[in-house]
Amino acid sequence: MANDNSLTDDLLAVHVNGLTKNYGQTQALKGIDLSIKKGELFALLGPNGAGKTTLFSILATLRSPSAGFATVLGKDVVKDRDAVRQSMGIVFQEPAIEKRLTGRDNLELMGLFYGLSISKSKVRATELITSLGLEEGADRPAERLSGGQRRKLELARALVTDPGILFLDEATLGLDVDARRAFWGHIKGLTESGRTVFFTTHYMEEAEVADRIALIDAGNIVALDTPRALKSRLGGGVIRLSTEDDVKAKAWLIEHGYTTESHSKELMLIHPDPASVVPELMRNLNVKVQRVEVHEPSLEDVFITLTGRKLAGETPAGEGRGKGGKWS
Amino acid sequence: MIRGIYAIVILDLKRAWLDRARLVAGLAQPLLYLFVLGAGLGASSQQGAVEYKKYIFPGVLGLSLLFSAAFAAIVIVFDRQIGFFKAVLVSPLPRYAIAYGKITSGAIQAFVQGVIVLPFAPLAGISMSFGSLIQLILSMFIASLTFSALGVAVASRFKSATVFPIVSNAILMPMFFLSGALYPLKNAPHWMQVATHFDPVAYAVDLMRGSILGVFYFPPALSITVLVLFVSTVSWSAVSVFKRGEDDSSLGATQFNWRR
């Protein structure tokens, strides 16, 4: 196992080397290497079953790897599990608050679970309530808070010990746009004060806020870069076509020197100058074109070109997410 | 660790306080045994109704402690489903602290229910000296701890909130009937007297009865020893459920195992 020297280790929030996880015969992670710097806002994207949840769970000490190692803030997630737990916060996809108790009660209890004294956990709860703007509902049973406030309470719960790293698993699922924006506003603030945030999401526009994004597919990280760099890999723009006979159209396109994305199930072209080429296509294509869409490459497009699969997995029609998802 | 146990206890007591109507409803069962069953059976017993009510009062107290401890333990089955414990399980809190916290909070809840039954003692014809009241309260305390430990050890093994009450009744009712709560053990058939020796409820009820009436079936020192041993063994067994296995409290799952 290649160990980086301690100097770089000091700067790393997450260091993963050759990480493998098997569930019986299936290999969920096939030797992941990953380094995340302290203070980074890092997104992990991938379709269901790609290994996203497994990687997330291992880093958050919820599962143990089959081989390889992972450190979080310099501590091994297996050997130093409790030390990792002491220095991390986690927001689950599903609620992890006792909804019959007040927000304040929830936070005070969580403080005690993390070993704060009674008076300190009281002080900490008040601090968090103030800094997240939860004063109004803090003394009401949590079940009577709005969805957005409840998520903020989840975030507050994860921040009780002032963790150096925060794990968010689909933390904004089901929130409306405003509530999501407010949530990410707080997260941004956290990274600015030097905390690392590692998150998974289904919403593409959320992934765009990340400093770096890892795309995971079939147990491997297939791309790892800034959102901008990932999208510029495609260069130019994306053209999507819907025709009366896609097979015929595809044959025509290939015949005439266009490269279609072979992975994609739809007709998708990446072209340096879409504006000039679309009129020509419309005029000359030998099948009737029903719809044309031209847009900047999205993360979804990057993922499709890399893997031939949509990020959201094989979701029902109309469930396309992000900018590139819907094309009508 | 102590803070963690304290936090579990506070969590459970706060939740129980929201359901405080249970304390009043919980009176129904013991009072029914005492004043209906007691009056009916007592009238045809050799002791007469008054003496019989006196006799079964500690048994009814035991019933109350036993069932409220079991009810408090049901929460554990629900806690698998609510997310709060998911957050507790990723805290550095050791798992055994959860088990001890649960046992403590169940014992407190049972004890409080028992204390509420206590004022009905004069109506059952009981008058106690201050000394025997103190003895009784100590016995109730040991009994609560015993029943709570038993409840937690059983409940932590169940995933279904509908199955647990049925199973716990199947365990608790025989323990209660064998305990001599409702009839003197010394007149019971021989096999029953033998079986009673393996029933912790019998020792607990006998301790309480001895405190009130001054007559013990088992030597008190034996009862205390048996109960202390029982509590330690059963707590250890509860702890082992809470901390065994790999931690697969998987994300996205609505249920998870206590086992790690």
Side-chain angles (χ1 to χ4, degrees):
Chain A
M1 278 179 223
N3 247 318
D4 287 36
N5 62 49
S6 59
L7 204 126
T8 56
D9 256 6
D10 276 354
L11 298 169
L12 288 181
V14 172
H15 186 195
V16 173
N17 201 315
L19 200 68
T20 306
K21 176 72 179 180
N22 305 319
Y23 296 113
Q25 294 292 338
T26 48
Q27 203 170 20
L29 296 180
K30 300 172 180 165
I32 302 267
D33 299 317
L34 179 65
S35 296
I36 301 174
K37 288 194 293 288
K38 282 184 183 164
E40 246 187 297
L41 181 54
F42 191 93
L44 181 66
L45 300 185
N48 295 331
K52 189 175 50 164
T53 303
T54 304
L55 177 57
F56 186 94
S57 307
I58 290 173
L59 292 179
T61 73
L62 295 166
R63 286 182 191 169
S64 48
S66 305
F69 77 87
T71 63
V72 170
L73 299 172
K75 314 248 171 39
D76 189 290
V77 293
V78 178
K79 284 180 229 138
D80 269 336
R81 197 196 68 198
D82 286 352
V84 173
R85 289 183 168 189
Q86 190 71 50
S87 53
M88 73 176 206
I90 183 165
V91 178
F92 300 104
Q93 193 174 325
E94 65 275 15
I97 41 180
E98 172 57 67
K99 37 182 207 300
R100 300 182 65 201
L101 299 185
T102 66
R104 190 183 299 277
D105 281 342
N106 270 285
L107 296 178
E108 287 179 9
L109 286 170
M110 207 41 76
L112 293 171
F113 285 123
Y114 276 90
L116 300 184
S117 68
I118 298 173
S119 59
K120 271 203 184 125
S121 62
K122 281 196 156 79
V123 171
R124 183 66 186 147
T126 308
E127 271 172 24
L128 286 167
I129 287 165
T130 318
S131 72
L132 286 164
L134 282 166
E135 294 95 335
E136 202 201 320
D139 296 301
R140 254 185 286 163
E143 61 195 343
R144 304 219 322 258
L145 296 176
S146 71
Q149 281 178 313
R150 241 180 286 172
R151 282 280 110 184
K152 273 195 203 169
L153 184 57
E154 295 280 353
L155 180 59
R157 197 214 76 235
L159 294 174
V160 158
T161 52
D162 196 9
I165 184 164
L166 195 60
F167 290 100
L168 310 173
D169 181 37
E170 308 274 351
T172 57
L173 204 67
L175 287 189
D176 61 48
V177 179
D178 284 342
R180 281 194 348 235
R181 199 167 295 146
F183 187 88
W184 285 103
H186 286 294
I187 300 296
K188 271 288 194 191
L190 291 172
T191 53
E192 276 153 23
S193 61
R195 290 181 190 81
T196 311
V197 176
F198 183 99
F199 71 97
T200 68
T201 180
H202 262 124
Y203 300 112
M204 286 308 120
E205 72 275 16
E206 285 189 353
E208 308 259 351
V209 305
D211 296 323
R212 283 196 304 158
I213 298 174
L215 297 177
I216 188 169
D217 187 49
N220 288 306
I221 290 182
V222 290
L224 172 63
D225 222 323
T226 64
R228 186 186 291 266
L230 280 176
K231 286 188 286 185
S232 72
R233 282 191 189 189
L234 295 187
V238 175
I239 305 166
R240 282 169 199 269
L241 292 170
S242 175
T243 67
E244 279 183 338
D245 187 346
D246 283 354
V247 181
K248 207 169 159 192
K250 189 167 183 172
W252 185 92
L253 286 166
I254 292 167
E255 200 182 310
H256 288 77
Y258 295 98
T259 38
T260 60
E261 288 308 314
S262 53
H263 279 315
S264 176
K265 278 186 185 146
E266 307 128 17
L267 269 183
M268 174 174 156
L269 305 175
I270 292 162
H271 199 278
D273 188 9
S276 70
V277 79
V278 166
E280 194 190 316
L281 283 179
M282 297 294 282
R283 221 177 304 126
N284 299 333
L285 204 59
N286 60 348
V287 285
K288 199 174 171 216
V289 178
Q290 290 161 327
R291 230 174 282 136
V292 183
E293 191 199 328
V294 178
H295 58 76
E296 298 268 281
S298 69
L299 290 168
E300 186 86 43
D301 299 323
V302 177
F303 196 81
I304 291 172
T305 50
L306 282 167
T307 68
R309 292 207 277 157
K310 286 196 171 192
L311 268 172
E314 303 295 33
T315 44
E319 267 260 26
R321 300 175 206 239
K323 289 177 197 159
K326 282 207 175 108
W327 38 297
S328 52
Chain B
M1 210 275 280
I2 295 293
R3 280 170 189 159
I5 295 178
Y6 172 79
I8 299 272
V9 172
I10 294 298
L11 167 72
D12 276 355
L13 293 186
K14 282 200 172 187
R15 292 194 293 194
W17 182 244
L18 294 173
D19 295 329
R20 53 192 174 273
R22 225 174 69 197
L23 290 174
V24 181
L27 269 179
Q29 195 190 24
L31 295 188
L32 192 69
Y33 271 81
L34 191 59
F35 294 112
V36 179
L37 189 87
L41 272 184
S44 46
S45 93
Q46 298 154 348
Q47 298 170 309
V50 178
E51 283 306 304
Y52 185 68
K53 267 189 233 164
K54 256 194 220 178
Y55 180 82
I56 64 168
F57 183 78
V60 166
L61 207 51
L63 174 85
S64 175
L65 298 178
L66 188 60
F67 278 85
S68 42
F71 196 84
I74 293 181
V75 175
I76 293 176
V77 185
F78 286 108
D79 278 343
R80 283 174 189 278
Q81 282 145 20
I82 71 151
F84 186 82
F85 267 84
K86 214 162 171 173
V88 176
L89 293 180
V90 293
S91 78
L93 184 76
R95 291 296 173 88
Y96 57 81
I98 300 178
Y100 289 136
K102 286 284 177 191
I103 293 172
T104 313
S105 82
I108 293 172
Q109 291 172 62
F111 185 78
V112 168
Q113 184 72 62
V115 168
I116 291 174
V117 177
L118 219 44
F120 291 89
L123 288 179
I126 289 170
S127 57
M128 272 180 285
S129 68
F130 185 69
S132 38
L133 183 66
I134 296 297
Q135 259 189 57
L136 176 63
I137 284 177
L138 288 177
S139 313
M140 280 168 65
F141 180 75
I142 299 176
S144 306
L145 206 55
T146 308
F147 301 156
S148 177
L150 179 66
V152 172
V154 176
S156 54
R157 289 173 164 82
F158 281 87
K159 276 188 184 159
S160 157
T162 43
V163 176
F164 174 66
I166 299 168
V167 173
S168 76
N169 266 6
I171 298 172
L172 298 186
M173 289 317 274
M175 288 177 99
F176 175 66
F177 286 135
L178 276 181
S179 72
L182 301 177
Y183 45 79
L185 285 172
K186 61 179 195 294
N187 303 333
H190 182 254
W191 69 266
M192 212 183 242
Q193 295 197 17
V194 174
T196 287
H197 281 80
F198 298 96
D199 181 3
V201 182
Y203 295 93
V205 167
D206 191 57
L207 264 187
M208 293 190 282
R209 180 170 293 140
S211 312
I212 299 174
L213 304 177
V215 188
F216 292 92
Y217 178 76
F218 301 108
L222 174 70
S223 297
I224 292 172
T225 314
V226 169
L227 291 178
V228 168
L229 282 177
F230 183 81
V231 169
S232 340
T233 318
V234 171
S235 309
W236 171 82
S237 141
V239 166
S240 71
V241 175
F242 278 83
K243 67 181 214 188
R244 75 179 164 209
E246 195 196 350
D247 202 348
D248 255 349
S249 40
S250 49
L251 300 162
T254 50
Q255 276 205 356
F256 53 93
N257 288 337
W258 283 116
R259 46 184 78 179
R260 258 189 37 68

